[in-house]
Amino acid sequence: METLMAFVIGVLYATATYMMLRRSIVKLVIGLVLLSNAANLLLFTTAGMMRGAPPLVPEGALQPEGPVADPLAQALILTAIVIGFGVLAFAVVLIRRAYDVVRADDINRMKGTDT
């Protein structure tokens, strides 16, 4: 399963890079979303894809018994989702404002160089 996820993550990173190199500002935002999702999947996959119990330590024990889930990866992914949503919201507002001012979706037309 990890091999399949590695290929999926690679395809998402490649697609995100391709989309961010396009001239359209909307495609840039789509690339940012794909990049965020690829990073979340990478964190999820590196933590290990196995089912485990909650990491609760029984009273009187020094460590949990049996296989447990890694809470650090879950916290990192949750934080990355929130940060990614914030970046996406900021980018959408920024693009909307730039389009209202310049009336163009092409990055080169926004800069003033039409090549």
Side-chain angles (χ1 to χ4, degrees):
M1 187 66 163
E2 284 85 4
T3 307
L4 175 66
M5 290 302 288
F7 284 119
V8 169
I9 292 167
V11 168
L12 280 175
Y13 272 118
T15 307
T17 303
Y18 176 78
M19 294 296 280
M20 290 192 307
L21 292 175
R22 301 292 93 206
R23 288 184 180 186
S24 173
I25 199 88
V26 174
K27 291 179 182 175
L28 177 86
V29 171
I30 294 170
L32 280 173
V33 170
L34 288 175
L35 189 69
S36 174
N37 288 331
N40 291 340
L41 279 177
L42 181 65
L43 286 173
F44 178 69
T45 305
T46 55
M49 299 183 64
M50 64 171 217
R51 289 182 182 229
L56 302 174
V57 180
E59 190 172 332
L62 296 175
Q63 62 185 11
E65 299 171 357
V68 295
D70 186 12
L72 180 63
Q74 295 172 11
L76 285 174
I77 292 170
L78 183 61
T79 305
I81 289 170
V82 172
I83 291 172
F85 181 73
V87 168
L88 176 65
F90 176 73
V92 167
V93 170
L94 186 66
I95 289 167
R96 170 69 183 202
R97 179 69 180 135
Y99 183 78
D100 286 345
V101 170
V102 181
R103 294 283 182 211
D105 183 35
D106 189 12
I107 293 176
N108 288 337
R109 287 184 57 201
M110 285 183 171
K111 291 190 306 187
T113 60
D114 226 0
T115 56

